[in-house]
Amino acid sequence: MTAAARKIELWCDSFREGTWAAEGIIRHWPEAVVKRGYRFGFIPHYRIELSSTRLELEVFGGYGNWTDLPKKIRELLDWGKPDLVAYDRSTDTVLFAVEETAAVPTGNQALQRCERMHGAGIMKVPFWYLLTQFGTHVNGGTRQASPWPALMAVALTTTFRTPNLVLLYSSELSPEDYAAGEGTAQLFRMLAKMMVNFGTRKNLLDGLDEELKNQFASMLRFVGATYSKVTDFLPHAELLADGTTAARLARIASGSDRGKTSFPLLEWPLFKDLPAAFREKQAPGTFIKAEPFLAKLETARGTGNTYTLSKKTGARPQPEEDLRSWIGQQRRLHDGAERLSPLVEFKLKLSDFPVSPSGLRYVATAKNVLYLVDSAGLVFAALESVFPRLSGRLPLGNSSPAMVYVSNSVTPGRIFGDPYTGQFAAFSWIFGGTNTAPRVRVAYFPHQSHGVLNPSRSSQNKGQLIFLSRADYLVFHSGAVYSAKEKRWL
Amino acid sequence: MAVKPALVYKMKEEVVRWRFELQLLSSRDWWIAFTSPTAGTWKRLMGRDARGAEGEVYRFPRDEGRPDVVAVNDARRTLLIVEAKDTAPKLAVPDQVRKSCEVVTNLARSLSTRGANTYWGSRANYEVLAGLLWGRSCTAEATDLVSLFALYRRLLGAVRLIGFETRQQEDGNLVVHEFPDGGGGPALLIQRGSS
């Protein structure tokens, strides 16, 4: 074989992760002749001779350690730093990206990296999220990963027609063990095959429908087994058990369906089309802290045009002195924020936050953070009635269905950090509509001054970037509303 | 520095530490029990049983300070707990000195109680060395080791101290130098350094 070796740069969060990945991939080429070395004494370099091609891999650890980070990788990093990015400098192409974590996948942990899935999706970069299915909680118990990232992966794959997958490793007997479960092997086998395609100048996903199908099948089995823990209802859930679904998703991901297939898994219906048993459970919920706009949405649950999916929202109270400090910071942000007309009043005060039995203060309002509303017009009418300054400023005639996401955080700007950024990235894809069944997406922050948002500097803050790209409207304390599409305050 | 423009790197802590880890990995007798960050098992310190199988010895609580590298030498019955910064002056900042010494002494104490763990066993009685690791670019001044070590010696008590420098040469290559406190004694890892 005389063709020159094709070179792949493996950019990663750390050298350890890059070499772990390189060695994991190489193990799937048992026949390969591999020469390992280090340039300048520390940059891992691999020369790989396979029967069909020759490859060179080089590992660049720590994105900030290099003066020549490719622009395409920098763009991907704006959405959050994946652990591994494969890059072809000769064509300035990001080949694929990988995120992996050993973090115990309980609560919001699994959602914390979902903005990276989003970034890869919109840049049409094949993306894999390797997650431990089972983890040991600090209390000693074994917990299982949330299915939210996997559901988000389905949405991203079918929207961008590019692979976006969650692969799971470990087992109940061996939690957090990379060698247990299918996921680690599935990941490296796929990356190895893609690299061979790259080396032989084929399309990266050529001939990989079967591999993708197996990965989607694993992912769908997991979703089928776990979704009831996080949501009381999933539309078209029968697709999870349908033997043809995985192949269907694989063809969408690889492009071998030629763009002709749609996939309705996340097309959330209108209230009237919900299963009767689920519909009948919808009723106005109670509040921990009073909140007038959400009270309107809760009332709408009883009048047959709004529903929620789970009552599993936690309500961790906060120390009073922290709350006092945060409210003070919110006021200062408000005073320094862009002056809107009509005026936005600052009304946050400590006494509004109920005292818990242990003397802390609750910040949670309704017991739901996600509402699916039959018509955006209803959401806007509710906003106008609670915040008169919005009168005449919202499209009341908009009959598209809507999604309302709520974060009750009081910590200034926290909404643009973990876990909210990843959570909203995930929820906006899972509940925010599809190409064929779109929804208006509203994010509501009752305890955040509009001063926390700086739209002109969003590229410097990935949280703002996510919210501005995925929400149609951002609603802040006292009814300050930013229209992301119109790029202006209302 | 005569390096290809596309590969110009910065002497940051990750680079400094990684080069040091490669030095450890190239040695016959040293193995790495913990490094931060790692591919995956970032919060677990691992040991080896009699057959060489790996297993968890210690799990760092979320709010506990972690060292940068923990390495073991069974032949010398030595445990090396390393704190790293990209430059030596950063190691000399008073708050850093305090935190680093706390990390070393707390971890040494915790590991000394792990004798019953199958993957640790007699390592609970190993001598503990406190390692300081820093980077030095080819244009940087030599490190004042006397002052640096004096700062740490005050808080480390009887724990022996050793310095490691990942030094950038004119051609861009990185080499690790070793500086035991007080000088002398057999080299732990590689050539003895000269400032």
Side-chain angles (χ1 to χ4, degrees):
Chain A
M1 191 186 333
T2 54
R6 293 205 75 194
K7 186 168 173 189
I8 297 174
E9 294 177 12
L10 290 180
W11 290 78
C12 37
D13 220 7
S14 71
F15 283 101
R16 271 258 164 184
E17 287 182 293
T19 52
W20 171 76
E23 297 292 343
I25 292 165
I26 287 168
R27 273 196 290 278
H28 285 273
W29 297 317
E31 80 285 8
V33 174
V34 183
K35 287 190 183 141
R36 294 171 175 80
Y38 297 95
R39 289 159 67 127
F40 301 111
F42 74 100
I43 301 174
H45 187 267
Y46 303 81
R47 284 195 172 84
I48 300 157
E49 193 116 0
L50 299 164
S51 57
S52 56
T53 188
R54 291 159 67 206
L55 294 168
E56 270 187 48
L57 302 183
E58 203 151 62
V59 177
F60 297 100
Y63 296 107
N65 294 336
W66 312 90
T67 58
D68 190 30
L69 180 69
K71 187 162 170 281
K72 286 258 170 71
I73 297 184
R74 199 183 299 277
E75 279 171 29
L76 189 62
L77 300 185
D78 279 345
W79 298 102
K81 285 189 207 167
D83 290 311
L84 181 74
V85 180
Y87 176 73
D88 170 26
R89 197 170 281 267
S90 70
T91 58
D92 187 27
T93 305
V94 175
L95 300 173
F96 59 78
V98 175
E99 177 66 24
E100 67 88 19
T101 179
V104 176
T106 58
N108 289 318
Q109 279 281 359
L111 292 171
Q112 275 179 347
R113 295 166 185 80
C114 287
E115 72 279 5
R116 297 163 209 189
M117 296 172 68
H118 165 81
I122 62 165
M123 288 183 65
K124 298 203 175 188
V125 169
F127 185 91
W128 283 266
Y129 184 7
L130 182 67
L131 184 56
T132 179
Q133 184 172 352
F134 297 96
T136 305
H137 198 256
V138 63
N139 65 12
T142 301
R143 301 292 171 90
Q144 192 166 193
S146 157
W148 290 136
L151 282 166
M152 179 181 178
V154 170
L156 290 168
T157 295
T158 55
T159 300
F160 296 109
R161 297 184 173 267
T162 302
N164 202 298
L165 282 124
V166 169
L167 300 178
L168 296 154
Y169 66 91
S170 80
S171 67
E172 259 188 290
L173 289 177
S174 295
E176 301 169 23
D177 183 354
Y178 282 81
E182 307 172 288
T184 309
Q186 283 178 327
L187 173 69
F188 289 137
R189 191 166 57 241
M190 171 62 84
L191 300 186
K193 289 184 177 182
M194 286 167 63
M195 285 188 175
V196 170
N197 279 346
F198 173 79
T200 52
R201 296 187 183 272
K202 290 183 186 156
N203 186 301
L204 216 57
L205 298 170
D206 216 51
L208 294 181
D209 274 17
E210 189 64 22
E211 199 71 47
L212 283 168
K213 186 191 95 174
N214 293 337
Q215 291 187 356
F216 278 114
S218 299
M219 195 172 89
L220 293 171
R221 267 195 304 275
F222 167 69
V223 173
T226 55
Y227 79 84
S228 60
K229 296 186 172 116
V230 297
T231 177
D232 297 332
F233 164 66
L234 187 70
H236 303 286
E238 70 282 358
L239 287 171
L240 298 172
D242 184 324
T244 63
T245 302
R248 200 169 156 189
L249 285 170
R251 286 195 297 275
I252 292 173
S254 70
S256 57
D257 73 328
R258 301 183 195 286
K260 288 182 169 34
T261 321
S262 65
F263 195 72
L265 182 69
L266 296 170
E267 288 179 2
W268 299 87
L270 298 178
F271 190 97
K272 65 179 176 60
D273 298 320
L274 290 169
F278 177 73
R279 201 170 55 225
E280 278 148 26
K281 284 191 200 164
Q282 295 296 319
T286 54
F287 282 75
I288 299 166
K289 171 183 178 278
E291 214 300 316
F293 167 60
L294 296 181
K296 300 265 179 195
L297 296 187
E298 287 289 340
T299 300
R301 291 176 67 202
T303 55
N305 46 44
T306 297
Y307 60 97
T308 63
L309 295 156
S310 167
K311 288 187 288 294
K312 293 189 173 69
T313 306
R316 195 165 61 179
Q318 302 292 327
E320 193 169 286
E321 63 267 27
D322 285 351
L323 205 50
R324 200 189 303 275
S325 168
W326 295 332
I327 292 172
Q329 291 171 53
Q330 290 286 356
R331 173 171 277 289
R332 284 191 288 282
L333 278 166
H334 173 83
D335 291 344
E338 180 176 335
R339 247 171 150 55
L340 304 183
S341 175
L343 218 54
V344 173
E345 287 183 64
F346 187 83
K347 294 181 183 170
L348 272 184
K349 51 189 191 300
L350 185 66
S351 55
D352 289 338
F353 295 84
V355 181
S356 76
S358 53
L360 303 173
R361 296 271 184 167
Y362 287 115
V363 300
T365 53
K367 291 174 184 169
N368 295 290
V369 296
L370 200 292
Y371 296 83
L372 293 177
V373 187
D374 279 1
S375 137
L378 291 170
V379 177
F380 298 142
L383 282 169
E384 277 199 8
S385 75
V386 171
F387 304 115
R389 69 169 300 278
L390 292 172
S391 180
R393 290 167 187 274
L394 293 165
L396 298 181
N398 188 328
S399 60
S400 296
M403 162 200 132
V404 178
Y405 165 85
V406 184
S407 168
N408 294 300
S409 175
V410 188
T411 320
R414 187 85 169 86
I415 52 172
F416 299 133
D418 287 334
Y420 304 106
T421 298
Q423 187 180 56
F424 185 70
F427 286 177
S428 72
W429 281 106
I430 296 165
F431 303 108
T434 63
N435 287 343
T436 46
R439 278 185 182 259
V440 172
R441 295 184 288 268
V442 177
Y444 180 48
F445 312 117
H447 303 140
Q448 296 279 334
S449 157
H450 67 285
V452 303
L453 178 69
N454 193 337
S456 61
R457 297 183 65 190
S458 62
S459 61
Q460 295 172 18
N461 179 306
K462 79 169 185 227
Q464 293 199 50
L465 205 56
I466 290 281
F467 275 98
L468 288 173
S469 73
R470 293 300 298 156
D472 295 297
Y473 297 91
L474 286 81
V475 183
F476 294 88
H477 173 67
S478 268
V481 177
Y482 187 79
S483 165
K485 282 206 169 64
E486 295 173 60
K487 294 187 174 33
R488 67 182 185 95
W489 292 99
L490 302 185
Chain B
M1 176 176 55
V3 295
K4 285 187 190 173
L7 292 177
V8 171
Y9 60 87
K10 302 174 191 175
M11 286 289 288
K12 291 196 162 184
E13 191 179 312
E14 163 73 10
V15 170
V16 166
R17 191 188 65 249
W18 172 245
R19 180 58 187 91
F20 173 72
E21 285 187 38
L22 291 178
Q23 194 67 44
L24 285 169
L25 292 171
S26 71
S27 134
R28 235 188 2 241
D29 297 329
W30 288 94
W31 52 274
I32 295 176
F34 174 83
T35 175
S36 169
T38 313
T41 53
W42 49 272
K43 55 185 180 294
R44 302 197 291 170
L45 189 149
M46 306 296 278
R48 292 178 182 177
D49 67 12
R51 289 167 303 147
E54 269 202 348
E56 181 176 318
V57 173
Y58 182 72
R59 181 175 285 236
F60 289 94
R62 189 191 296 245
D63 52 0
E64 184 177 307
R66 289 169 210 149
D68 290 290
V69 181
V70 178
V72 181
N73 187 318
D74 292 314
R76 290 177 187 251
R77 297 178 59 81
T78 302
L79 184 62
L80 177 62
I81 303 175
V82 180
E83 287 282 287
K85 283 290 173 207
D86 39 1
T87 62
K90 285 188 181 175
L91 281 170
V93 171
D95 204 46
Q96 183 61 49
V97 175
R98 181 190 57 75
K99 278 186 196 163
S100 294
C101 290
E102 257 173 34
V103 165
V104 170
T105 49
N106 288 346
L107 184 58
R109 188 183 317 119
S110 297
L111 293 176
S112 72
T113 65
R114 293 304 199 268
N117 183 302
T118 319
Y119 303 101
W120 202 242
S122 63
R123 297 183 185 105
N125 303 316
Y126 280 12
E127 181 193 10
V128 174
L129 291 182
L132 300 179
L133 169 64
W134 64 90
R136 181 178 155 196
S137 73
C138 57
T139 55
E141 298 278 314
T143 305
D144 177 358
L145 293 174
V146 171
S147 308
L148 180 63
F149 284 5
L151 292 171
Y152 280 82
R153 215 182 293 123
R154 257 179 243 136
L155 296 180
L156 283 174
V159 175
R160 271 206 300 144
L161 187 55
I162 182 162
F164 298 98
E165 180 177 270
T166 297
R167 191 183 298 172
Q168 184 185 55
Q169 296 181 315
E170 290 286 335
D171 60 1
N173 273 300
L174 295 182
V175 178
V176 178
H177 292 265
E178 177 180 320
F179 302 94
D181 185 16
L188 274 194
L189 284 186
I190 17 60
Q191 69 264 25
R192 270 306 141 77
S194 52
S195 288

